[in-house]
Amino acid sequence: MGNRDLNNNRTTYKNRAPPQPPSNYYTTSSPYYTESSSSDTQWTSWLVPMIVVANVAMFVVVMIVNDCPKHQNLRSEGKCVGGFLGRLSFQPLKENPLFGPSSSTLEKLGALEWKKVVNDKEAWRLVSCIWLHAGVIHLLANMLSLVFIGIRLEQQFGFARVGVIYMLSGIGGSILSTLFIKNNISVGASGALFGLLGAMLSELLTNWTIYANKAAALITLVIIILINLAVGILPHVDNFAHIGGFLAGFLLGFVLLVRPQFSWQERHHLPIEARGKSKYTIFQYVFWILSMILLVAGFAVGLVMLFNGENGNDHCSWCHYLSCVPTSRWHCNNQ
């Protein structure tokens, strides 16, 4: 789903829905796992469905607050779409082509905006923006991606670890977005969704010994991630939220999604003195330590820069190209 501005070119959607990985990536019958992995505990997924319900409920609340019919006489963009829905009807398509609320409503209810976060110290917007969506199309695309990606991860690793990755990745995406985008407000769960993709990649790397078809799993994930990041250079797509969420999720995967190595799993039913293998490899320990250091440092530096009013573009003259590359067909004005 391409992202567009809503009102006076001020709203940036923090998400284009990532394509889903192959349907057998995180199932016990997956060819990517060795035979021993089929005995892993399978968790019942309830957190991801609850997140979906919460996002849908939040969108309904936003539309009730928006109340397009009440304000349509004050606007010149046209009539509300879906008038039979009453106060749930959508803004005119010229204002919001995704069938959703106005930018002013999103801003009032917690959209990410540099001035509000930095000048007014409204840090809660770093979290609230993750639960807002610019329209029905935006919401459906994100929630479908979350279901396909998140449920598999939750079944394999449980709700606690997936929940931590989802929220911290979303916040990481919000921090990087606010550091680099000054002129637009931003909404969407893209940071959290890209965090789940990043965690899937680091989980594959740190648990390399338990995969049977390593190359296929790695190539599949890398292609999915590169395609989505490439789409982020289009205008009105908040690729900084994508990148920030992906980096946070990638590091969190090394910390939270570690599995015992295959040779240990083969012997885990034997007495300790007969196992002869360490539960984790030295590389898993090294990745865990480095990832924890980078996570803490990254969040600390990002938050300090943000609340000191720093502009990320002043420290990186080319970084704005990561979110939008100007061409003869469009311009970029996110800085």
Side-chain angles (χ1 to χ4, degrees):
M1 177 190 66
N3 295 344
R4 303 172 181 273
D5 283 355
L6 288 185
N7 188 17
N8 298 325
N9 295 327
R10 295 196 62 240
T11 300
T12 301
Y13 308 159
K14 284 209 300 181
N15 205 28
R16 173 195 173 277
Q20 294 76 41
S23 60
N24 61 352
Y25 189 86
Y26 271 105
T27 61
T28 54
S29 60
S30 172
Y32 298 151
Y33 283 109
T34 58
E35 292 180 1
S36 67
S37 65
S38 63
S39 63
D40 289 345
T41 300
Q42 287 292 294
W43 300 75
T44 299
S45 177
W46 63 268
L47 178 64
V48 169
M50 287 297 294
I51 292 175
V52 172
V53 171
N55 275 277
V56 173
M58 187 63 195
F59 184 75
V60 173
V61 171
V62 170
M63 295 308 302
I64 291 174
V65 173
N66 186 67
D67 196 2
C68 181
K70 181 179 180 180
H71 302 104
Q72 68 175 348
N73 293 331
L74 303 177
R75 304 177 183 277
S76 59
E77 290 84 357
K79 294 183 177 180
C80 300
V81 178
F84 64 91
L85 295 172
R87 63 188 299 167
L88 292 176
S89 57
F90 312 116
Q91 292 300 119
L93 293 181
K94 288 184 178 180
E95 181 181 353
N96 185 346
L98 297 182
F99 301 97
S102 65
S103 290
S104 59
T105 299
L106 291 171
E107 181 178 351
K108 179 169 64 175
L109 293 181
L112 193 63
E113 184 178 12
W114 185 86
K115 290 188 298 183
K116 297 287 186 181
V117 174
V118 177
N119 296 337
D120 299 337
K121 307 302 180 183
E122 296 181 358
W124 54 270
R125 290 179 180 269
L126 297 172
V127 177
S128 62
C129 65
I130 302 171
W131 303 92
L132 297 174
H133 288 84
V136 172
I137 297 175
H138 191 200
L139 177 67
L140 287 176
N142 283 350
M143 294 304 100
L144 287 174
S145 296
L146 176 60
V147 167
F148 280 99
I149 296 173
I151 285 181
R152 298 188 191 102
L153 277 173
E154 188 177 355
Q155 287 173 341
Q156 291 294 322
F157 297 101
F159 73 91
R161 285 182 280 185
V162 171
V164 170
I165 292 172
Y166 183 86
M167 287 306 304
L168 289 183
S169 297
I171 295 171
S174 296
I175 293 172
L176 194 65
S177 174
T178 312
L179 282 172
F180 284 93
I181 296 180
K182 306 297 181 182
N183 299 327
N184 298 333
I185 65 173
S186 186
V187 295
S190 65
L193 290 171
F194 271 76
L196 295 181
L197 281 177
M200 290 172 69
L201 179 59
S202 57
E203 189 274 327
L204 168 63
L205 296 176
T206 196
N207 301 323
W208 192 253
T209 63
I210 72 171
Y211 282 84
N213 196 342
K214 302 174 177 63
L218 180 61
I219 292 172
T220 299
L221 272 178
V222 169
I223 290 176
I224 290 173
I225 292 165
L226 290 179
I227 288 175
N228 281 275
L229 291 177
V231 171
I233 66 175
L234 296 174
H236 316 315
V237 180
D238 187 355
N239 212 27
F240 288 115
H242 296 180
I243 296 171
F246 174 80
L247 292 176
F250 182 69
L251 294 175
L252 284 165
F254 286 119
V255 175
L256 298 177
L257 305 185
V258 181
R259 293 176 182 267
Q261 60 176 308
F262 178 51
S263 56
W264 183 90
Q265 289 181 343
E266 286 185 309
R267 296 174 169 83
H268 77 278
H269 60 281
L270 298 176
I272 295 178
E273 62 274 9
R275 293 176 185 175
K277 288 287 184 179
S278 173
K279 186 174 183 179
Y280 301 107
T281 67
I282 185 63
F283 298 105
Q284 288 175 311
Y285 286 116
V286 170
F287 285 146
W288 192 96
I289 294 172
L290 289 178
S291 296
M292 279 297 297
I293 294 173
L294 291 173
L295 269 172
V296 173
F299 273 93
V301 171
L303 288 171
V304 169
M305 289 180 62
L306 179 60
F307 291 109
N308 282 337
E310 297 278 350
N311 187 335
N313 296 289
D314 294 338
H315 302 277
C316 182
S317 60
W318 56 268
C319 282
H320 61 279
Y321 292 117
L322 295 175
S323 187
C324 182
V325 176
T327 69
S328 59
R329 293 181 176 274
W330 61 70
H331 66 280
C332 305
N333 62 346
N334 286 338
Q335 294 186 45

